[in-house]
Amino acid sequence: MNFTQHALDKLTLYEIDQDVVTKSSAIHTFYDKTQSTDIKIIRIKGILFTLVIEPDTKNLITIYRTDQKTIDNRQKKKRWI
């Protein structure tokens, strides 16, 4: 997995090492119909994070904190399939 500069900046913000993200197993995987991106949900130190990945290049575009309610809502609204 390659990291965009934006993703690297977010890792710095969250104080997460690239290796931790690379080695983390996805709890959930989705496709974001709105953004046409792959979504992986991982857990780091008990916190859920969303990885937004460009499907063709497999570049990690961004990473952000999430929660189960947000995941459920995006599935319910058929945004994440």
Side-chain angles (χ1 to χ4, degrees):
M1 174 185 312
N2 297 313
F3 295 77
T4 64
Q5 186 59 51
H6 177 75
L8 292 172
D9 293 344
K10 293 294 247 181
L11 291 177
T12 300
L13 174 71
Y14 293 124
E15 299 178 348
I16 299 171
D17 191 64
Q18 288 182 39
D19 290 339
V20 173
V21 173
T22 304
K23 293 177 183 176
S24 294
S25 298
I27 298 169
H28 302 289
T29 57
F30 303 104
Y31 180 75
D32 186 328
K33 293 185 342 182
T34 305
Q35 301 295 320
S36 300
T37 55
D38 292 331
I39 302 294
K40 291 187 180 183
I41 307 299
I42 62 172
R43 187 182 310 273
I44 300 173
K45 298 179 185 173
I47 300 169
L48 291 174
F49 286 91
T50 299
L51 305 179
V52 180
I53 301 167
E54 205 289 316
D56 295 329
T57 64
K58 302 299 183 209
N59 288 338
L60 178 64
I61 299 168
T62 192
I63 179 173
Y64 59 89
R65 291 178 70 152
T66 194
D67 55 43
Q68 193 61 51
K69 183 177 179 180
T70 301
I71 295 167
D72 294 343
N73 286 341
R74 290 187 179 170
Q75 282 184 280
K76 203 178 296 182
K77 293 179 181 180
K78 307 271 191 245
R79 175 177 172 179
W80 287 0
I81 57 170

